[in-house]
Amino acid sequence: MNCQFLRKICIKRLIYIILILSSSFIKAQVVNVSGNWNASIPVITEAGSNYAGTYDNSGTPGTNQITLSGTLPGSFLNLLSSSGAKMTMRYTPNPWNSSLTLAAKRTGGTTAIHGVCLFCTSSINGGTTYIPISQTADVTFVTFSFSGVLGLANSITFADINLILQLAGVSVTVPANTYSARIVFTIVAN
């Protein structure tokens, strides 16, 4: 009985040790967001007028520019194999009006492979047309594809993804208030 009891304890300890060691090798994928956008909605001064209805942050680069960059570590790439990854998005309101909608698209974007990798390529795909952002579900923004024989100390970095946001539904029927939302980006397996 003692031998079987000790065997169970040893197996449990071994499993815990394996989990601890494997978790130390798996690093998180990171999305860095720099910049923000405050939509400039003109004041209506004439009765019977309405707002343009749709606004975006593409007009003045620099002031309202939002740029995405980040890293996909080798441990994450090895788990994905050749399926690739995708960046999803959703927004959290603070406060918001249901008549207002958000959409996003990208311009630009580069990838670079770091570490030992044979015949490796990587690319960013999609997101070049406006994609509606949901409050309740994650929506795919872009996908990352890569191929090659992964080696040691690999990672893929992505940079210079310029995010163009579009606010629609602005109307005199929406109560005057300050509305804001935060967009949450997540990288998961494709």
Side-chain angles (χ1 to χ4, degrees):
M1 179 167 164
N2 283 341
C3 184
Q4 187 175 6
F5 177 73
L6 289 175
R7 191 175 307 143
K8 285 182 182 180
I9 290 175
C10 287
I11 290 173
K12 284 182 183 179
R13 284 186 181 173
L14 183 61
I15 290 173
Y16 290 133
I17 290 170
I18 290 171
L19 288 175
I20 290 170
L21 289 175
S22 65
S23 67
S24 67
F25 289 109
I26 298 178
K27 297 178 183 174
Q29 49 282 5
V30 176
V31 178
N32 301 311
V33 180
S34 63
N36 62 17
W37 175 47
N38 292 315
S40 179
I41 311 296
V43 177
I44 291 183
T45 58
E46 188 175 321
S49 296
N50 200 350
Y51 294 100
T54 303
Y55 302 88
D56 66 33
N57 65 327
S58 65
T60 53
T63 309
N64 292 313
Q65 187 169 356
I66 301 170
T67 305
L68 305 177
S69 61
T71 303
L72 303 175
S75 55
F76 180 67
L77 298 174
N78 287 328
L79 287 174
L80 296 178
S81 184
S82 62
S83 65
K86 64 183 175 181
M87 182 186 297
T88 63
M89 61 185 174
R90 64 178 164 79
Y91 75 90
T92 56
N94 183 29
W96 198 250
N97 185 290
S98 60
S99 297
L100 301 174
T101 61
L102 285 172
K105 71 176 182 176
R106 74 170 174 96
T107 60
T110 61
T111 60
I113 300 170
H114 305 280
V116 178
C117 198
L118 301 173
F119 309 111
C120 291
T121 61
S122 63
S123 63
I124 303 170
N125 307 300
T128 56
T129 60
Y130 281 111
I131 300 166
I133 305 173
S134 173
Q135 178 184 346
T136 57
D138 288 344
V139 177
T140 300
F141 179 48
V142 296
T143 59
F144 300 97
S145 60
F146 45 88
S147 63
V149 180
L150 295 172
L152 300 172
N154 292 48
S155 66
I156 294 176
T157 57
F158 57 93
D160 302 323
I161 298 176
N162 296 318
L163 181 69
I164 307 295
L165 292 174
Q166 182 184 68
L167 173 66
V170 178
S171 170
V172 293
T173 60
V174 175
N177 198 350
T178 300
Y179 298 104
S180 66
R182 187 174 102 179
I183 300 174
V184 177
F185 295 96
T186 308
I187 296 179
V188 296
N190 196 7

